[in-house]
């Protein structure tokens, strides 16, 4: 039986499905992923989580590896160059988590704009002493401008939700998106125009070193002083310390974060601020979505180990196959 390494526990149904066809090794029961890979060097598939760095050394420690099935849509944890060099297929889980992640981005937009978490804390602390005209005043979404940075599947799903809240949507994307402009009427603007005009900025770009700290101190300084910043994409897209600075000085109204630069670490100053809502990377965290993601990794492993092309290869692999 071919050997498959699963980095951490996930959907029981997916585990059962894997066990039917493969010898399944659970890395958490084998001293963690690097130790497990050394011990089971004959493994042919690895199911990794976004929290697992799958670097060159790890790939090299599995000489028979044929596929890395990443249990996430983002795959910046995987050294893609190393995988391509070794001809190890890499797959991810697009589409199935789009709606769940868009819901969470919208939840953060609402929570940060309307001070939902501060209100909850106030009530729990016994500090609600009756209705007051000036209590926890927030920002209205209706009529405000939402700037989507990265108009992919998730960005578009957030934009559609925001429209139902009466927001005007503009977006920034590296390439033109004529269909999005034509079909939905969302306007593509330059990054600078977006940053300067948006009342809410929501980040939906994949991470790559080229966009490290895209949201730097200088960029935050260009945003409206009463803007809301939301990041459900990847932590290193923003300079967390710079964000803490502008929030502490009330140079932004609020922020909503689901991701951090060095997860699970969160900037200490951010944790002490009231005007930021902090979530523990819950973008795709619904039972149904996580189950679908897990089943996609199972399918990817089954396809790859049967010598077929997995359906959800990462774009770099699709590009390589196109060239052939
Ligand atoms: C992903 O799949 O990349 C998300 O960040 C998971 O929540």
């Amino acid at each position: 039986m071919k050997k498959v390494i699963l980095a951490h526990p996930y959907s029981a149904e997916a585990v059962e499905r894997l066990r039917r066809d493969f010898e399944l090794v659970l890395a958490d029961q084998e001293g963690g992923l690097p130790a497990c890979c050394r011990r089971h060097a004959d493994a042919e598939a690895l199911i990794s989580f976004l929290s697992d760095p799958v670097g060159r050394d790890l790939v090299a420690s599995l000489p028979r590896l044929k596929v890395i099935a990443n249990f996430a849509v983002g795959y910046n944890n995987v050294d893609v160059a190393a995988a391509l060099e070794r001809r190890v297929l890499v797959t991810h889980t697009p589409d199935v988590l789009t709606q769940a992640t868009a819901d969470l981005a919208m939840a953060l937009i609402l929570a940060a704009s309307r001070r939902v978490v501060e209100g909850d804390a106030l009530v729990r602390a016994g500090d609600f002493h009756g209705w007051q005209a000036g209590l926890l005043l927030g920002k209205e979404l209706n009529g405000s401008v939402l700037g989507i940075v990265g108009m992919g599947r998730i960005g578009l799903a957030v934009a559609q939700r925001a429209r139902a809240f009466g927001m005007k949507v503009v977006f920034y994307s590296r390439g033109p998106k004529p269909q999005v402009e034509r079909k939905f009427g969302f306007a593509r603007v330059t990054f600078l125009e977006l940053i300067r005009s948006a009342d809410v900025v929501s980040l939906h770009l994949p991470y790559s070193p080229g966009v490290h700290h895209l949201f730097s101190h200088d960029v935050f300084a260009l945003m409206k002083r009463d803007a809301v910043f939301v990041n459900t994409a990847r932590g290193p897209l923003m300079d967390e310390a710079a964000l803490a600075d502008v929030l502490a000085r009330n140079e932004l109204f609020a922020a909503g974060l689901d991701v951090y630069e060095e997860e699970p670490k969160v900037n200490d100053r951010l944790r002490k601020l009231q005007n930021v809502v902090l979530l523990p990377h819950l973008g795709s965290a619904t039972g149904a979505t996580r189950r679908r993601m897990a089943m996609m990794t199972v399918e990817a492993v089954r396809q790859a180990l049967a010598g077929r092309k997995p359906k959800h290869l990462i774009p770099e692999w699709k590009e390589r196959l196109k060239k052939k």
Side-chain angles (χ1 to χ4, degrees):
M1 255 185 168
K2 292 179 176 173
K3 196 177 270 185
V4 175
I5 296 177
L6 172 62
H8 311 284
Y10 72 172
S11 151
E13 190 186 339
V15 167
E16 194 201 308
R17 190 72 195 80
L18 286 165
R19 284 208 164 111
R20 260 191 250 162
D21 297 332
F22 307 110
E23 179 186 345
L24 187 66
V25 179
L26 301 175
D28 282 355
Q29 293 172 6
E30 303 269 339
L33 191 55
C36 176
C37 292
R38 283 193 299 274
R39 199 169 301 159
H40 297 278
D42 54 340
E44 294 183 48
L46 166 63
I47 300 172
S48 51
F49 283 27
L50 60 88
S51 46
D52 301 310
V54 181
R56 188 168 286 276
D57 289 352
L58 199 100
V59 174
S61 69
L62 298 170
R64 294 178 59 182
L65 189 63
K66 296 200 175 50
V67 61
I68 299 165
N70 207 43
F71 180 53
V73 67
Y75 50 91
N76 54 305
N77 57 307
V78 178
D79 186 332
V80 172
L84 284 168
E85 275 166 37
R86 272 270 321 277
R87 295 177 190 279
V88 173
L89 300 168
V90 182
T91 68
H92 64 149
T93 62
D95 299 319
V96 293
L97 48 68
T98 299
Q99 304 306 330
T101 308
D103 284 348
L104 195 89
M106 207 59 220
L108 281 174
I109 292 171
L110 283 162
S113 301
R114 295 301 304 274
R115 308 179 67 175
V116 169
V117 177
E118 283 175 88
D120 179 87
L122 179 142
V123 174
R124 287 173 198 275
D127 291 334
F128 179 40
H129 306 299
W131 191 89
Q132 288 169 46
L135 183 63
L136 292 179
L137 300 183
K139 279 175 58 78
E140 210 149 306
L141 296 189
N142 185 41
S144 67
V145 175
L146 170 66
I148 298 275
V149 178
M151 193 47 121
R153 289 171 284 245
I154 298 172
L156 181 59
V158 175
Q160 289 173 283
R161 283 159 174 73
R163 169 177 276 169
F165 280 83
M167 299 182 88
K168 176 180 174 231
V169 178
V170 296
F171 71 93
Y172 164 75
S173 66
R174 276 166 288 196
K177 298 265 176 184
Q179 256 201 313
V180 171
E181 299 204 65
R182 215 177 310 119
K183 187 163 170 203
F184 301 97
F186 302 140
R188 179 166 174 247
V189 295
T190 66
F191 184 65
L192 215 56
E193 279 166 349
L194 184 146
I195 290 309
R196 288 194 164 127
S197 65
D199 299 296
V200 177
V201 173
S202 191
L203 206 37
H204 300 286
L205 280 180
Y207 177 77
S208 67
V211 281
H212 185 78
H213 282 188
L214 176 68
F215 280 79
S216 59
H217 194 275
D218 289 353
V219 168
F220 286 126
L222 291 172
M223 287 172 63
K224 287 184 171 177
R225 274 187 85 97
D226 63 347
V228 169
F229 172 77
V230 169
N231 188 359
T232 52
R234 282 293 181 266
L237 289 165
M238 66 188 173
D239 180 340
E240 231 170 79
L243 179 60
D245 285 344
V246 289
L247 287 170
R249 292 199 296 261
N250 289 316
E251 289 168 5
L252 282 185
F253 181 76
L257 304 179
D258 189 39
V259 291
Y260 305 91
E261 274 196 71
E262 288 175 44
E263 293 178 17
K265 269 205 308 203
V266 178
N267 181 293
D268 275 343
R269 284 187 301 137
L270 276 181
R271 288 197 292 120
K272 292 186 184 111
L273 291 169
Q274 299 294 310
N275 55 348
V276 58
V277 179
L278 303 170
L279 295 181
H281 206 147
L282 296 179
S284 61
T286 72
T289 292
R290 288 279 163 84
R291 187 192 150 276
R292 287 194 291 263
M293 291 164 66
M295 293 313 283
M296 272 172 98
T297 65
V298 174
E299 214 30 52
V301 168
R302 294 181 67 213
Q303 287 162 340
L305 297 194
R308 297 199 305 272
K309 187 176 91 178
K311 191 163 170 209
H312 298 289
L313 285 171
I314 59 167
E316 290 87 336
W317 251 108
K318 286 189 179 155
E319 208 44 48
R320 166 182 277 199
L321 293 178
K322 236 194 275 167
K323 282 183 199 146
K324 283 195 169 166

